PDB file of all heavy atoms in Angstrom:
ATOM      1  N   TRP O 778     -21.416 -68.509  19.546  1.00  0.00           N
ATOM      2  CA  TRP O 778     -22.437 -68.513  18.398  1.00  0.00           C
ATOM      3  C   TRP O 778     -22.061 -67.616  17.329  1.00  0.00           C
ATOM      4  O   TRP O 778     -22.193 -67.929  16.092  1.00  0.00           O
ATOM      5  CB  TRP O 778     -23.808 -68.362  18.817  1.00  0.00           C
ATOM      6  CG  TRP O 778     -24.856 -68.733  17.960  1.00  0.00           C
ATOM      7  CD1 TRP O 778     -25.906 -67.944  17.563  1.00  0.00           C
ATOM      8  CD2 TRP O 778     -25.084 -69.964  17.245  1.00  0.00           C
ATOM      9  NE1 TRP O 778     -26.787 -68.553  16.637  1.00  0.00           N
ATOM     10  CE2 TRP O 778     -26.229 -69.805  16.413  1.00  0.00           C
ATOM     11  CE3 TRP O 778     -24.394 -71.168  17.191  1.00  0.00           C
ATOM     12  CZ2 TRP O 778     -26.745 -70.831  15.596  1.00  0.00           C
ATOM     13  CZ3 TRP O 778     -24.840 -72.163  16.307  1.00  0.00           C
ATOM     14  CH2 TRP O 778     -25.918 -71.996  15.613  1.00  0.00           C
ATOM     15  N   PHE O 779     -21.534 -66.431  17.589  1.00  0.00           N
ATOM     16  CA  PHE O 779     -20.946 -65.476  16.652  1.00  0.00           C
ATOM     17  C   PHE O 779     -19.923 -66.197  15.812  1.00  0.00           C
ATOM     18  O   PHE O 779     -19.901 -66.027  14.585  1.00  0.00           O
ATOM     19  CB  PHE O 779     -20.519 -64.219  17.390  1.00  0.00           C
ATOM     20  CG  PHE O 779     -19.585 -63.326  16.528  1.00  0.00           C
ATOM     21  CD1 PHE O 779     -20.355 -62.392  15.627  1.00  0.00           C
ATOM     22  CD2 PHE O 779     -18.213 -63.534  16.418  1.00  0.00           C
ATOM     23  CE1 PHE O 779     -19.535 -61.490  14.854  1.00  0.00           C
ATOM     24  CE2 PHE O 779     -17.618 -62.640  15.624  1.00  0.00           C
ATOM     25  CZ  PHE O 779     -18.136 -61.679  14.822  1.00  0.00           C
ATOM     26  N   LEU O 780     -18.978 -66.865  16.481  1.00  0.00           N
ATOM     27  CA  LEU O 780     -17.885 -67.532  15.755  1.00  0.00           C
ATOM     28  C   LEU O 780     -18.307 -68.729  14.925  1.00  0.00           C
ATOM     29  O   LEU O 780     -17.753 -68.951  13.882  1.00  0.00           O
ATOM     30  CB  LEU O 780     -16.868 -67.989  16.755  1.00  0.00           C
ATOM     31  CG  LEU O 780     -16.194 -66.903  17.570  1.00  0.00           C
ATOM     32  CD1 LEU O 780     -15.178 -67.525  18.684  1.00  0.00           C
ATOM     33  CD2 LEU O 780     -15.367 -66.054  16.627  1.00  0.00           C
ATOM     34  N   CYS O 781     -19.491 -69.272  15.222  1.00  0.00           N
ATOM     35  CA  CYS O 781     -20.102 -70.310  14.268  1.00  0.00           C
ATOM     36  C   CYS O 781     -20.528 -69.613  13.030  1.00  0.00           C
ATOM     37  O   CYS O 781     -20.347 -70.139  11.911  1.00  0.00           O
ATOM     38  CB  CYS O 781     -21.273 -70.968  14.957  1.00  0.00           C
ATOM     39  SG  CYS O 781     -20.831 -72.088  16.365  1.00  0.00           S
ATOM     40  N   ALA O 782     -21.050 -68.381  13.144  1.00  0.00           N
ATOM     41  CA  ALA O 782     -21.423 -67.616  11.939  1.00  0.00           C
ATOM     42  C   ALA O 782     -20.165 -67.204  11.170  1.00  0.00           C
ATOM     43  O   ALA O 782     -20.212 -67.219   9.936  1.00  0.00           O
ATOM     44  CB  ALA O 782     -22.220 -66.401  12.373  1.00  0.00           C
ATOM     45  N   LEU O 783     -19.134 -66.905  11.821  1.00  0.00           N
ATOM     46  CA  LEU O 783     -17.839 -66.579  11.182  1.00  0.00           C
ATOM     47  C   LEU O 783     -17.399 -67.800  10.386  1.00  0.00           C
ATOM     48  O   LEU O 783     -16.879 -67.652   9.219  1.00  0.00           O
ATOM     49  CB  LEU O 783     -16.813 -66.131  12.154  1.00  0.00           C
ATOM     50  CG  LEU O 783     -15.340 -65.863  11.622  1.00  0.00           C
ATOM     51  CD1 LEU O 783     -15.346 -64.784  10.583  1.00  0.00           C
ATOM     52  CD2 LEU O 783     -14.460 -65.526  12.805  1.00  0.00           C
ATOM     53  N   MET O 784     -17.398 -68.984  11.055  1.00  0.00           N
ATOM     54  CA  MET O 784     -17.028 -70.224  10.313  1.00  0.00           C
ATOM     55  C   MET O 784     -17.830 -70.428   9.061  1.00  0.00           C
ATOM     56  O   MET O 784     -17.396 -70.799   7.984  1.00  0.00           O
ATOM     57  CB  MET O 784     -17.055 -71.409  11.183  1.00  0.00           C
ATOM     58  CG  MET O 784     -16.131 -71.372  12.331  1.00  0.00           C
ATOM     59  SD  MET O 784     -16.056 -72.956  13.286  1.00  0.00           S
ATOM     60  CE  MET O 784     -15.348 -74.085  12.114  1.00  0.00           C
ATOM     61  N   ARG O 785     -19.120 -70.154   9.180  1.00  0.00           N
ATOM     62  CA  ARG O 785     -20.015 -70.323   8.000  1.00  0.00           C
ATOM     63  C   ARG O 785     -19.584 -69.360   6.926  1.00  0.00           C
ATOM     64  O   ARG O 785     -19.613 -69.732   5.665  1.00  0.00           O
ATOM     65  CB  ARG O 785     -21.399 -70.009   8.356  1.00  0.00           C
ATOM     66  CG  ARG O 785     -22.428 -70.265   7.302  1.00  0.00           C
ATOM     67  CD  ARG O 785     -23.833 -69.621   7.647  1.00  0.00           C
ATOM     68  NE  ARG O 785     -24.407 -70.241   8.874  1.00  0.00           N
ATOM     69  CZ  ARG O 785     -25.043 -71.335   8.865  1.00  0.00           C
ATOM     70  NH1 ARG O 785     -25.311 -72.009   7.749  1.00  0.00           N
ATOM     71  NH2 ARG O 785     -25.496 -71.838  10.023  1.00  0.00           N
ATOM     72  N   GLU O 786     -19.218 -68.159   7.162  1.00  0.00           N
ATOM     73  CA  GLU O 786     -18.823 -67.120   6.334  1.00  0.00           C
ATOM     74  C   GLU O 786     -17.549 -67.420   5.493  1.00  0.00           C
ATOM     75  O   GLU O 786     -17.423 -67.170   4.303  1.00  0.00           O
ATOM     76  CB  GLU O 786     -18.671 -65.771   6.989  1.00  0.00           C
ATOM     77  CG  GLU O 786     -18.400 -64.556   6.040  1.00  0.00           C
ATOM     78  CD  GLU O 786     -19.642 -64.201   5.175  1.00  0.00           C
ATOM     79  OE1 GLU O 786     -20.672 -64.498   5.606  1.00  0.00           O
ATOM     80  OE2 GLU O 786     -19.485 -63.708   4.088  1.00  0.00           O
ATOM     81  N   ILE O 787     -16.569 -68.062   6.175  1.00  0.00           N
ATOM     82  CA  ILE O 787     -15.272 -68.338   5.539  1.00  0.00           C
ATOM     83  C   ILE O 787     -15.204 -69.689   4.929  1.00  0.00           C
ATOM     84  O   ILE O 787     -14.144 -70.150   4.578  1.00  0.00           O
ATOM     85  CB  ILE O 787     -14.194 -68.045   6.539  1.00  0.00           C
ATOM     86  CG1 ILE O 787     -14.205 -68.965   7.794  1.00  0.00           C
ATOM     87  CG2 ILE O 787     -14.181 -66.558   6.873  1.00  0.00           C
ATOM     88  CD1 ILE O 787     -13.040 -68.696   8.728  1.00  0.00           C
ATOM     89  N   SER O 788     -16.253 -70.508   4.992  1.00  0.00           N
ATOM     90  CA  SER O 788     -16.267 -71.891   4.557  1.00  0.00           C
ATOM     91  C   SER O 788     -17.115 -71.977   3.227  1.00  0.00           C
ATOM     92  O   SER O 788     -18.024 -71.131   3.058  1.00  0.00           O
ATOM     93  CB  SER O 788     -16.773 -72.777   5.581  1.00  0.00           C
ATOM     94  OG  SER O 788     -16.017 -72.666   6.729  1.00  0.00           O
ATOM     95  N   PRO O 789     -16.918 -73.025   2.469  1.00  0.00           N
ATOM     96  CA  PRO O 789     -17.730 -73.239   1.305  1.00  0.00           C
ATOM     97  C   PRO O 789     -19.213 -73.543   1.810  1.00  0.00           C
ATOM     98  O   PRO O 789     -19.461 -74.042   2.866  1.00  0.00           O
ATOM     99  CB  PRO O 789     -17.177 -74.442   0.649  1.00  0.00           C
ATOM    100  CG  PRO O 789     -15.849 -74.521   1.145  1.00  0.00           C
ATOM    101  CD  PRO O 789     -15.800 -73.958   2.415  1.00  0.00           C
ATOM    102  N   TYR O 790     -20.251 -73.222   0.906  1.00  0.00           N
ATOM    103  CA  TYR O 790     -21.591 -73.513   1.351  1.00  0.00           C
ATOM    104  C   TYR O 790     -22.187 -74.487   0.201  1.00  0.00           C
ATOM    105  O   TYR O 790     -21.750 -74.551  -0.890  1.00  0.00           O
ATOM    106  CB  TYR O 790     -22.435 -72.220   1.449  1.00  0.00           C
ATOM    107  CG  TYR O 790     -22.586 -71.482   0.128  1.00  0.00           C
ATOM    108  CD1 TYR O 790     -23.553 -71.812  -0.849  1.00  0.00           C
ATOM    109  CD2 TYR O 790     -21.771 -70.346  -0.100  1.00  0.00           C
ATOM    110  CE1 TYR O 790     -23.666 -71.003  -2.002  1.00  0.00           C
ATOM    111  CE2 TYR O 790     -21.969 -69.634  -1.271  1.00  0.00           C
ATOM    112  CZ  TYR O 790     -22.798 -69.975  -2.200  1.00  0.00           C
ATOM    113  OH  TYR O 790     -22.999 -69.299  -3.405  1.00  0.00           O
TER     114      TYR O 790
END
Side-chain angles (χ1 to χ4, degrees):
W778 191 232
F779 167 87
L780 293 175
C781 291
L783 175 60
M784 293 187 71
R785 184 192 301 275
E786 185 68 26
I787 62 178
S788 304
Y790 64 82

